[in-house]
Amino acid sequence: MVDRNNNGTIEPEEIDIPANAHVGICGMPAFWFRHQDRNGDGHMTPQELYADVHPVDITYTSRMTLTLGGETVQLIFPGKNHADDGTVLYFPAERVVFSTDFPADALVGTSMRSLPSACGAFDEHPMADWIASYRTIEALDFDILAEGHGAVLFSKADVTEGRQYFEYLRDQVAGAMSRGVTLDEMRRTLMLERYKDWAQYDRLRVMNIEAAYNNLRIYK
């Protein structure tokens, strides 16, 4: 969902492209655009998109600590992954981490053992940055990971498994590329057997391979 024609606004077709290409996986439904297009002129401006968002009055770069009512929370930028400006909230006294969209995306249910959505070339962020983001969370001292997506609480082990999947996918695709294997051949032959029992395997295996291939071509 980007301004593909560079006119400074978002049009319905720019929302529809990812939504129609991968129904129920990428993009947003049509009613979302109609809601955000406040004046109904068919163009969603940045002002309309962020009309419900309070203007920023505090910023941070990598980490910031806030103390409210005697309780402390750390705001941590894990790096670029699903978003380029995501924040992880770390509650050290409670040994709890909270985040949204990453590492559990919208398709995660009761288990983090789920192939990632792979929209675009992994949201146009290098796989190396995704892996580094996982490691940033892993480095925190916590027991519980509460996510914006998913129906259960998760653990640090879930984060580690997600990072290991990205590393495995990267190595499988990069290895095939180095051998001169075409993308079409990879779609047919890279079965990612180690993760065949994960949720969304049948639905997203090929998408993950395509996303990794394009990502590694862009971010060499």
Side-chain angles (χ1 to χ4, degrees):
M1 299 184 295
V2 296
D3 179 16
R4 298 168 188 269
N5 61 9
N6 296 311
N7 70 342
T9 64
I10 298 289
E11 285 71 51
E13 59 271 18
E14 293 174 324
I15 299 296
D16 292 343
I17 289 173
N20 291 337
H22 302 291
V23 178
I25 301 174
C26 304
M28 297 291 283
F31 72 80
W32 180 82
F33 181 89
R34 293 194 297 269
H35 175 266
Q36 298 299 126
D37 179 18
R38 314 283 170 153
N39 63 5
D41 66 352
H43 303 273
M44 182 173 62
T45 66
Q47 291 76 22
E48 289 175 319
L49 176 61
Y50 293 108
D52 298 326
V53 178
H54 189 284
V56 172
D57 44 36
I58 299 175
T59 63
Y60 79 101
T61 301
S62 59
R63 187 174 297 222
M64 181 170 66
T65 299
L66 298 178
T67 300
L68 302 171
E71 300 295 332
T72 296
V73 57
Q74 294 181 18
L75 281 65
I76 300 166
F77 174 57
K80 294 182 178 181
N81 40 75
H82 174 70
D84 59 8
D85 57 356
T87 287
V88 170
L89 301 181
Y90 174 45
F91 301 86
E94 293 80 7
R95 299 177 59 80
V96 172
V97 168
F98 174 79
S99 65
T100 61
D101 292 326
F102 173 84
D105 68 20
L107 298 181
V108 168
T110 58
S111 173
M112 197 86 83
R113 292 184 174 182
S114 179
L115 266 61
S117 297
C119 297
F122 284 119
D123 294 298
E124 315 305 326
H125 294 140
M127 292 186 74
D129 286 11
W130 280 78
I131 293 167
S133 295
Y134 278 103
R135 290 191 180 278
T136 297
I137 298 177
E138 286 181 273
L140 301 174
D141 187 16
F142 70 96
D143 299 317
I144 295 173
L145 172 65
E147 282 285 301
H149 295 299
V152 298
L153 297 174
F154 302 103
S155 68
K156 182 180 290 192
D158 293 309
V159 182
T160 299
E161 286 189 333
R163 186 252 305 162
Q164 290 172 338
Y165 170 76
F166 261 87
E167 292 173 334
Y168 174 81
L169 177 64
R170 175 201 60 192
D171 293 346
Q172 291 287 302
V173 173
M177 291 172 72
S178 69
R179 298 191 300 273
V181 179
T182 66
L183 176 56
D184 187 56
E185 290 175 305
M186 290 185 210
R187 293 187 184 103
R188 292 183 285 102
T189 61
L190 289 186
M191 301 310 296
L192 310 180
E193 287 280 348
R194 189 181 300 176
Y195 295 93
K196 65 182 180 181
D197 294 330
W198 279 30
Q200 310 297 335
Y201 172 84
D202 293 334
R203 188 181 186 188
L204 296 180
R205 177 186 65 84
V206 171
M207 269 186 68
N208 273 225
I209 291 168
E210 292 171 347
Y213 175 85
N214 291 323
N215 194 285
L216 292 171
R217 289 183 63 202
I218 297 169
Y219 307 107
K220 297 179 179 179

